[in-house]
Each structure stands twice: as structure tokens, then as C-alpha cells.
Amino acid sequence: MKKNKLHIIFILVVLLAVCAVLTIYIVSEYMSLPLEYTEYAEKYSREYDIPLPLLYAVIKTESGFKPDATSHAGACGLMQLMPMTYEEIAERLGEQPDITKIYEPEQNIRYGTFYLAYLYRYFGDWYTALAAYNAGIGRVSGWLDDRRYSSDGSSLQEIPVSETKNYVEKIKKLEKKYSDLLEEETK
């Protein structure tokens, strides 16, 4: 009888430990998914018709939500815009390019979201657009023309550059997590 009680207590302790570990894991997963700059993200996600979870996933991947982030290649801000791309976006929007605003969160999110929407319209596929956001339009267009990477010439079945492939895969995973998180927040 005493053995059975000890056995049951042992099982309960193990179950509690497993529950604690799972709770810590779930909490840390959500804590690693910041929802910052929500006013701008929501506004420009609606304005440029980009899924909000996808936009958050791009910002998280590009800068980790650090508005002053600068890459080794010279990309700037939350959405890591190259200065030349920033100026091109300003011209497409009919605005005077003001490079001094490239790090401002609202301006960077607005321009980055506009550019991502432009790439989506250009390619017609979110993940091909993301590949172009990372590797450039010309490079991705070349991959689409190559049967090894695209069977239909309009979407990528394979991304030949590991950095871009990993980038797109990371965003896909983060998009799902942000989708789940945003769904939970609306309950």
C-alpha cells in the first residue's frame, strides 16, 4: 500500500514538473514575440493589404524590433531598408526622399510595408516576394526563369541561396506564431 502511494506521488511530481516546463516554454515563446509599434504595423498592414502576422514576422526577422538596427550591408531601421531602396520608395509614393527619417519607426514601417506590398503585386506570391525582399528583384526574377527553381515561372519551389531560403523559412514560422498570438489576444 505504501509503495502504491509513493508511486502515485512520484507520478504526480513528474506531471507537475512537465507542466511547469511546458508553461515556461510557452511563456518564453510568446515573450520572444514582441508586439511593438502596433499602431504603425496595424495602420500600414491595412493600408497596403499585408497580413499583420506576416508584417510582424518580417520586422522581427529583419531587426528584432530595434529601430536603430543597421546591417553589415547598410540596411537601416525596423524593416532594414537600404538607402537606395528607401529613396526609390519615396519616389514611388510621390514624396521627396528624406534619408534622415529612415530610422523613424513609422516612416520605416510605412516604406517597408509599401515595398513588401509592391513586391507581392510584382510576383503574386508572398514567399517569392519575401525572397525578393531579402535577395532583390533581379535575382529572384532570374530564379523564376530557371526550371530548377520554378516549374511555372511565377513562384519559387526552391530557393538556391541558403541565406534567402533560411530567411523565408524563418518568416513562415514566425508568421504562424504571430498569427496564433494575435488570435489569442483577440479572445
Side-chain angles (χ1 to χ4, degrees):
M1 187 75 153
K2 221 176 193 182
K3 248 184 178 178
N4 280 345
K5 282 183 181 178
L6 286 175
H7 186 70
I8 290 170
I9 290 172
F10 175 75
I11 290 172
L12 288 173
V13 168
V14 169
L15 285 173
L16 284 171
V18 168
C19 287
V21 168
L22 285 174
T23 301
I24 290 168
Y25 173 76
I26 290 167
V27 167
S28 69
E29 275 291 298
Y30 283 116
M31 287 180 72
S32 69
L33 296 175
L35 288 173
E36 298 178 38
Y37 309 104
T38 55
E39 178 185 347
Y40 308 138
E42 289 173 1
K43 177 180 179 180
Y44 295 114
S45 133
R46 277 191 309 275
E47 186 171 327
Y48 297 118
D49 201 23
I50 292 193
L52 187 57
L54 179 67
L55 179 56
Y56 279 129
V58 170
I59 296 170
K60 170 78 171 150
T61 301
E62 288 290 349
S63 67
F65 285 85
K66 295 179 186 120
D68 60 346
T70 304
S71 76
H72 65 281
C76 305
L78 290 164
M79 295 192 69
Q80 291 292 278
L81 298 171
M82 293 297 288
M84 232 172 77
T85 305
Y86 181 87
E87 290 173 353
E88 178 188 324
I89 293 165
E91 289 172 20
R92 287 184 184 278
L93 289 168
E95 299 174 2
Q96 284 288 46
D98 184 353
I99 201 71
T100 64
K101 294 183 176 184
I102 197 168
Y103 287 101
E104 289 180 8
E106 181 173 13
Q107 183 81 334
N108 196 278
I109 290 172
R110 178 173 169 243
Y111 275 32
T113 305
F114 172 88
Y115 187 58
L116 192 53
Y118 166 79
L119 292 172
Y120 175 72
R121 287 189 310 276
Y122 187 88
F123 290 107
D125 174 80
W126 282 117
Y127 301 110
T128 305
L130 288 168
Y133 195 91
N134 179 262
I137 292 175
R139 204 171 196 190
V140 170
S141 294
W143 297 340
L144 289 171
D145 290 338
D146 190 325
R147 289 253 178 237
R148 293 177 295 175
Y149 311 123
S150 175
S151 62
D152 60 4
S154 64
S155 63
L156 293 170
Q157 279 76 49
E158 181 65 36
I159 298 174
V161 174
S162 62
E163 177 191 333
T164 302
K165 183 177 184 171
N166 294 338
Y167 173 84
V168 171
E169 289 302 317
K170 182 176 183 179
I171 289 178
K172 282 181 182 180
K173 289 176 185 169
L174 282 171
E175 179 186 18
K176 171 70 173 113
K177 289 179 180 181
Y178 271 110
S179 182
D180 293 344
L181 178 62
L182 291 169
E183 191 176 304
E184 280 297 315
E185 286 205 347
T186 59
K187 287 183 179 178

